[in-house]
Amino acid sequence: MTDSRPQLYEQASQYQHWRFTRASLEKLRDANNKRGTDRVLRGLKEEANVSDNQSTLETHISEATNNLLTPGEELQLIDYYLQMIKVYAQIYRKNGLLKPDALDDVKATAINFMKRFYLHNVVFDYPPKSIMLTCFYLATKVENAFMKIDDFVRPLQAAETKRGSKVQTRGEDILGLEFVVIQSLQFELAAHHPYRAAYGLYLDMQAFITDSALLKDVFDRTHYYIDLSLFTDLVFLYQPSQIAMGAFKLAAREKDLDIDSYLTQRFEARSLELLYSVLDDIQDTVGAFKNTSQKDAQAIDRKLILCRNPEKNPNSKLYKKKAADQNDVPYVSDSDSD
């Protein structure tokens, strides 16, 4: 009698609600971008109604229209700040705020959260630096590496002071976005990564591969390729165990270790044929990944300044007016009591 129950990972919310095809991801991002640009233009026209300087607003609308980000530019900017998560993780480790054994899970979970967030949001509404910091702070809680918000912002403020920045990261800004992020994650905070699966593969391979020193060398290198995979869309396409095996294949090829013999012993021919097509796609995707350069990110960031959604921008006149109007509304209790 066969066991018809789903595999453990198939019961996870990540598998059930955050799995896509490449085509569906592109369609989703294109639609989000279109809705986002529509909100920007609609917000700017609404802001024109509350502005006392029409010529300036007309110039702003023209600049925004000419600098609206494409879906590709949005992805590039998001990717740059995803890379910054890796940088910040090392800063917190060096400051003793993040233990080495928690580093990978916090980093990977923060990246996972940020990638999920921008499947339902756009950078016009929520610039990625603020979201990146909120996702990182939320990940420290989820992965049992919690730190106080004052401790979290202290290294950031020190770096900003050193650079001579006039703007300081504030804890309340990070906390203020937490619910927005959690809501966009559909309150699903469990994130699964390839690191543990790679270790399981390493242990299993020891029974089939005699050169233990080379195998250990390959396993250590696998970590590098898993790190790269986090910044791609593979998390939305494949299971962590498949990504781990793809990373193992890349590392084995680099170190000249044949692991195909291991695979032929562990999988039936039909299953192996299907697996190889998955592994080939994973290896091609990781191999083709390129970081967004700081220069490119800065150029896109400059465009974003011109096309922020004024309804979500605290510096805009529309945002300030709506906030003031909201404060003027008298409080009405939902209670029937006097």
Side-chain angles (χ1 to χ4, degrees):
M1 183 177 178
T2 59
D3 188 350
S4 60
R5 291 176 298 179
Q7 296 294 317
L8 188 60
Y9 177 69
E10 292 176 359
Q11 301 176 50
S13 60
Q14 181 167 306
Y15 179 86
Q16 294 180 356
H17 303 146
W18 299 97
R19 194 160 49 103
F20 304 88
T21 63
R22 293 187 190 277
S24 63
L25 280 173
E26 183 177 4
K27 184 178 179 181
L28 179 60
R29 286 165 173 157
D30 286 350
N32 283 342
N33 179 268
K34 177 64 169 61
R35 287 192 294 268
T37 56
D38 287 347
R39 283 196 300 274
V40 169
L41 296 176
R42 189 167 60 246
L44 287 171
K45 289 174 183 176
E46 188 178 352
E47 188 172 40
N49 295 327
V50 301
S51 175
D52 53 4
N53 191 333
Q54 290 300 309
S55 62
T56 301
L57 252 297
E58 287 172 5
T59 302
H60 189 183
I61 292 172
S62 176
E63 288 177 337
T65 304
N66 293 329
N67 286 279
L68 290 170
L69 304 188
T70 66
E73 288 173 324
E74 277 201 88
L75 275 179
Q76 281 184 282
L77 190 59
I78 292 164
D79 171 69
Y80 176 77
Y81 283 101
L82 288 171
Q83 295 291 327
M84 293 304 295
I85 289 175
K86 186 169 63 174
V87 174
Y88 282 114
Q90 291 300 329
I91 291 173
Y92 289 116
R93 183 188 65 80
K94 290 177 181 177
N95 279 271
L97 295 169
L98 197 57
K99 295 180 180 178
D101 58 353
L103 189 68
D104 284 339
D105 285 339
V106 169
K107 173 184 64 182
T109 296
I111 291 170
N112 186 306
F113 285 173
M114 189 169 172
K115 290 180 74 68
R116 291 186 193 181
F117 179 86
Y118 281 111
L119 289 183
H120 298 291
N121 297 279
V122 289
V123 299
F124 306 113
D125 295 337
Y126 300 104
K129 182 180 179 181
S130 300
I131 295 301
M132 178 267 292
L133 292 174
T134 301
C135 287
F136 197 118
Y137 188 62
L138 183 60
T140 65
K141 298 179 182 180
V142 170
E143 298 299 343
N144 296 316
F146 173 72
M147 61 184 83
K148 294 178 180 179
I149 189 64
D150 290 343
D151 293 334
F152 183 80
V153 299
R154 192 173 295 117
L156 307 178
Q157 292 172 342
E160 288 159 351
T161 300
K162 188 175 181 180
R163 291 198 306 268
S165 174
K166 296 179 181 179
V167 180
Q168 289 270 295
T169 300
R170 302 185 308 168
E172 54 263 39
D173 294 334
I174 293 170
L175 296 176
L177 284 169
E178 261 196 333
F179 184 74
V180 173
V181 170
I182 293 172
Q183 192 174 38
S184 296
L185 299 178
Q186 301 173 13
F187 301 94
E188 295 172 344
L189 303 181
H192 303 268
H193 314 300
Y195 298 110
R196 188 173 298 177
Y199 183 62
L201 285 169
Y202 168 62
L203 294 178
D204 193 49
M205 287 180 185
Q206 292 177 23
F208 297 86
I209 298 174
T210 56
D211 193 336
S212 58
L214 180 57
L215 179 59
K216 177 63 166 60
D217 197 22
V218 169
F219 171 62
D220 290 342
R221 186 58 175 168
T222 297
H223 193 285
Y224 165 77
Y225 288 111
I226 290 176
D227 277 353
L228 281 185
S229 76
L230 300 175
F231 303 106
T232 71
D233 282 335
L234 291 174
V235 66
F236 298 130
L237 304 173
Y238 299 113
Q239 299 187 22
S241 58
Q242 295 169 326
I243 299 171
M245 177 56 75
F248 236 114
K249 286 270 288 179
L250 283 166
R253 185 169 61 194
E254 182 182 322
K255 300 292 183 180
D256 200 23
L257 174 65
D258 177 22
I259 61 171
D260 287 332
S261 58
Y262 161 76
L263 293 173
T264 56
Q265 294 177 75
R266 294 298 277 132
F267 296 94
E268 297 177 356
R270 176 58 182 158
S271 298
L272 192 58
E273 182 182 349
L274 295 172
L275 178 62
Y276 271 133
S277 65
V278 169
L279 297 182
D280 287 346
D281 189 37
I282 291 170
Q283 292 174 89
D284 290 345
T285 301
V286 173
F289 174 73
K290 288 182 173 58
N291 297 339
T292 301
S293 68
Q294 185 178 41
K295 180 180 178 181
D296 287 343
Q298 287 173 337
I300 298 170
D301 233 341
R302 285 193 290 271
K303 291 180 67 176
L304 178 59
I305 291 171
L306 299 173
C307 59
R308 284 280 307 274
N309 179 3
E311 198 169 12
K312 298 283 188 179
N313 184 358
N315 295 321
S316 76
K317 291 181 179 179
L318 179 62
Y319 182 95
K320 292 173 181 176
K321 181 182 183 303
K322 289 195 171 186
D325 290 346
Q326 193 172 22
N327 289 335
D328 287 341
V329 174
Y331 171 72
V332 179
S333 174
D334 290 330
S335 173
D336 292 333
S337 62
D338 293 332

